[in-house]
Amino acid sequence: MSRDPEWLLQQLPAGMLNDDFFRRYMGIFQAMADTYLDHIDAIEHVFDPSVAPLPMVGAMGRWIGLDYLDEEIPPSAQRRVVKQYSALVGARGTAKGLQGLLEALTGAPVEIRDRGGVYFDRPAPVEAPSHVDISVGSSASPDPVQLDDADLTRIVRRELPASVTFTMQRAGRTIHPVPELDDD
């Protein structure tokens, strides 16, 4: 926004403007006020995750429940996650919400197969416990954001209800549960 460079001085009585010392003295306050006004003029950008300072992006993430965003997650991924997941907050705890979160975190396609269900007319079948199969990326197109497998697993554990079990594949390899190593 453009302001007259002497906007503060112009608000004073004309008799005060003739004193050079007073004009310079008031210039100090005008410079300080200009800084504050510039911040106020840019306030809308502070809440835009694509341009906000990274600490503010982290604060916005905590507001919507993403308190695990930290310096280990690349800044571009943090910005993408906050922007995309804020639209999915209503779907948190669902397959759609988890898929959106993982796609935002990894930048790769994610497939979720949910075997759970809600049964109104009868108890849930014992042979079909709540279980989710997750596939992140593929061997042909691995995810471009290289989050640690343990971090990704930790995030999924946090997002799923406690009673739900899951398996997770990343770029064609199983990362949860960790496969047993052969002792050949």
Side-chain angles (χ1 to χ4, degrees), residues 111-179:
E111 184 180 331
I112 308 273
R113 289 174 305 284
D114 184 359
R115 291 190 240 159
V118 177
Y119 302 90
F120 294 106
D121 58 343
R122 64 188 189 289
V126 177
E127 66 276 357
S130 296
H131 183 83
V132 177
D133 294 311
I134 303 166
S135 177
V136 178
S138 67
S139 53
S141 63
D143 51 296
V145 177
Q146 291 304 312
L147 280 178
D148 185 78
D149 289 346
D151 285 338
L152 199 58
T153 302
R154 176 180 52 88
I155 290 168
V156 169
R157 271 197 184 112
R158 189 162 184 277
E159 289 294 314
L160 289 175
S163 62
V164 175
T165 60
F166 70 99
T167 56
M168 186 163 43
Q169 298 239 328
R170 188 175 193 185
R173 60 185 173 77
T174 301
I175 63 170
H176 183 80
V178 178

Side-chain angles (χ1 to χ4, degrees), residues 38-52 56 60:
D38 289 343
H39 287 316
I40 290 168
D41 290 342
I43 195 79
E44 67 200 54
H45 302 296
V46 171
F47 299 103
D48 179 354
S50 58
V51 295
M56 186 62 186
M60 288 186 285

Side-chain angles (χ1 to χ4, degrees), residues 12-23:
L12 298 173
M16 296 178 133
L17 297 176
N18 295 334
D19 185 355
D20 183 54
F21 171 77
F22 188 72
R23 289 180 68 86

Side-chain angles (χ1 to χ4, degrees), residues 60-68 85-101 154-161:
M60 288 186 285
R62 287 188 296 281
W63 292 345
I64 59 174
L66 299 173
D67 55 354
Y68 44 76
Y85 196 65
S86 62
L88 293 169
V89 166
R92 189 167 192 182
T94 67
K96 178 183 176 187
L98 182 60
Q99 180 179 2
L101 173 64
R154 176 180 52 88
I155 290 168
V156 169
R157 271 197 184 112
R158 189 162 184 277
E159 289 294 314
L160 289 175

